[in-house]
Every structure is written in C-alpha cells, then in structure tokens.
Amino acid sequence: MSTPGWYYRLSSFFKEKFGEKVYKIPLDAGLTCPNRDGTISTAGCIYCYNPGFSRSALSREQEKQQIGIRAQILLYQAEAEKRIRKDSANYNKALSDHSNFMPRRKYLAYFQSYSNTYGDISYLQAMYKEALETPGVIGLSIATRPDCLSASVLELLEIYARDYHIWLELGLQSSHDRTLQFINRGHGYNSFAEAVQYGHEKGLNICAHIINGLPGESWEDMLETARRLSSLHIQGIKFHQLQVLRGTHLEKLYLQGELDLLEEKGYIHLLCDQLEVLRHDITVHRFLAEVTSQDFLLAPHWENSRAIFAQQIEVELKRRGSWQGKKCL
Ligand code: SF4
C-alpha cells in the first residue's frame, strides 16, 4: 500500500490495484431480508426504508417489475460512459441493443438492495454469475447481514475470489449490543465478528457499515466501535450519519422528541476522531449517507455534498496535524 494521505480512500486502493478508477453499479436482485420477511422480525431495523437509501430498491418499487441483472449493468454502464465520454452514439446503441454494448471502464457489480446472500443458493449463484459474465465487470460487491452467510454462499464466494475482486459489505451499525437491540437489528456484535472471520478465511474483502448518532450512543461509544473494527480483519468501512426517513419507527421517536441527531460540524469532528483510531490500511468507502430523494428525509438536512464533506475532513485532519490510524494502538 502506498502512502494513504490523510485517510485511505477507496479510489486510491483501486488505483493501486487496477491502475485506474473502478465504478460500482448498484443492482437489485429482487431479494428481501430476514428482518423484514418474518424470519427474525417483520418490523425491520428502526431506521430502514430501503428505497430511501438504495437507488436500485427505489427502481424496484417505482417500476413494479425488475429487469435482469445483465440489463441493469449494461444500462448503468452505458449511462456512466455517456457521462464520462459524452458518447451518446454508444449509449443509444446500448438502449436499443443491450447485448452488444462494450464498456471501456472497469466495474464492480454492487448487489445493494436488502440482504444479497439471503436466498436459495442456486438463485444467488445465477445472479452472481450473470453479473460476472457481463462485459466490463471485474468483481462483485455484495451487501448483506452478518447472519445471512451460509456455508454454501461462503464456498461460492471463495471460488469467485480466486478469479475476481470480491467485497462483502456487512451491516453492523454499532458494536454495542444494547444499541443493536434497541434498533432491532436482530443480531449481536459477535455474529458480525464471526462473519468477518469466516469471510477473511475465504479470501474476501470485508467492508463494515456503521451508523453514527444511533439513539443512546455517546461519543466514546462511537469511537469504541471504530476501535473494535480496527481489531478485525476488515479492509473497508462505510460511515453513515443517522437519518430519519419518513414512515420508519425512527420517525415516531423523532416526532416524540426522543432523538438527538448529530450536527454537521460535530459529525466532521467525530469522523476525524474515528479515523484517528482506525487502522491505516482500512479503505474508506463513504463518510456520508445520502437519500435517493429529499422527499423521504425528515431530518437532518445538511448542506454539503459528499465531495465537500470529504474535503472538510481533510482540512480538519490537517489542522490537527493528524491522519487515519495516528492513534490506532
Ligand atoms: S437488515 Fe438491512 S434491509 Fe433488513 S431491515 Fe435492516 S436495514 Fe433493512
């Protein structure tokens, strides 16, 4: 790994590994989640409204029918390359004939909506295979819950990891069991730590998702989550601020005045504190949650985009004379 700078960006990691930028294509495989379908609960996590934070889940809801994985990938690639290269001729061709579109960039197929290892193994295998066989796709990024990793899924991903670049994105949100219970995650911290170990043994890259500002958590609790993650075999992290989406249980708590949300400026300081205790070789995939439509978001309404936010974090780390991992023991 070369010098990561103030913090280790995922884009730097891709540049080092592949020599160029790699784009992630959000996909909807038509799956659900055991915390929604009644296997664990029907209520879901208290903050969850999947179409609110996943464009692919939003498309499923809006279009009421799902298009195939290959078609989702080719359309995304065509749109992305039209934007990058202003290549409208190629784009128009892709719209009329998916099968012949040839991307010029590298892509990861990102199975984003709901729990993407939760389903019949032959169905999952067909979805992953279809993605990997689409031109331009160099690997998979699979978002799921830590308690949805069967031996057969892990074995399948282990085989893919020999030839492709595979990320497993595991939702944790907090390393504190009392918080996980309060937000109705339906699993504990140990389940996450075990899943990381299994994934690591299979040669997968693991990215942990956490949410800052969950009810009842102190600054120190959130720092402790970053410290605990540093002690596990993870290679990536996605930070999110708690957002109140309409129609969720969290909305009720918010309207009853039972929630203290983070403020934008304080969040920058918190992230810098967390980066300082985070291992220097863990890639940062994201600092900020963004909703698919402002209509879904009750609070907080922050001003800055992800890019500006990332700049502010660099400025703050620079001001401190600090960097990712400076206080990691
Ligand atoms: S595990 Fe994910 S999809 Fe399932 S309820 Fe929680 S946030 Fe929603």
Side-chain angles (χ1 to χ4, degrees), residues 175-176 189 210 219-232 234 237 239 273-279 282 327-329:
S175 69
H176 303 282
Y189 175 66
I210 65 168
W219 198 274
E220 179 50 33
D221 288 335
M222 294 182 268
L223 279 187
E224 185 57 19
T225 290
R227 283 191 205 100
R228 287 179 184 169
L229 285 175
S230 287
S231 71
L232 301 179
I234 67 163
I237 188 166
F239 296 96
D273 286 358
Q274 287 177 313
L275 286 171
E276 286 178 335
V277 299
L278 195 69
R279 251 182 24 239
I282 295 176
K327 297 181 183 171
C328 178
L329 302 173

Side-chain angles (χ1 to χ4, degrees), residues 33 35-36 44-45 47-48 50 53 114-115 145 185:
C33 162
N35 208 19
R36 287 239 166 251
C45 304
Y47 52 82
C48 174
N50 227 271
F53 45 74
Y114 300 92
S115 301
R145 292 168 55 90
R185 276 295 295 178

Side-chain angles (χ1 to χ4, degrees), residues 196-297:
V196 169
Q197 187 57 30
Y198 295 146
H200 171 68
E201 286 166 9
K202 300 294 184 193
L204 311 178
N205 296 292
I206 314 282
C207 174
H209 290 206
I210 65 168
I211 299 178
N212 284 319
L214 288 167
E217 292 225 328
S218 67
W219 198 274
E220 179 50 33
D221 288 335
M222 294 182 268
L223 279 187
E224 185 57 19
T225 290
R227 283 191 205 100
R228 287 179 184 169
L229 285 175
S230 287
S231 71
L232 301 179
H233 288 295
I234 67 163
Q235 289 72 39
I237 188 166
K238 271 185 184 171
F239 296 96
H240 306 87
Q241 77 284 21
L242 183 66
Q243 293 185 302
V244 183
L245 271 60
R246 295 182 201 281
T248 60
H249 182 67
L250 201 65
E251 178 185 22
K252 290 189 191 121
L253 298 182
Y254 179 73
L255 294 176
Q256 287 161 7
E258 291 175 26
L259 263 190
D260 287 326
L261 294 174
L262 293 169
E263 289 179 4
E264 196 166 1
K265 218 168 187 172
Y267 185 51
I268 289 170
H269 287 274
L270 172 66
L271 286 172
C272 291
D273 286 358
Q274 287 177 313
L275 286 171
E276 286 178 335
V277 299
L278 195 69
R279 251 182 24 239
H280 73 282
D281 62 323
I282 295 176
T283 53
V284 178
H285 294 217
R286 173 187 294 170
F287 284 125
L288 203 64
E290 280 180 347
V291 280
T292 51
S293 162
Q294 287 299 318
D295 294 344
F296 298 136
L297 183 66

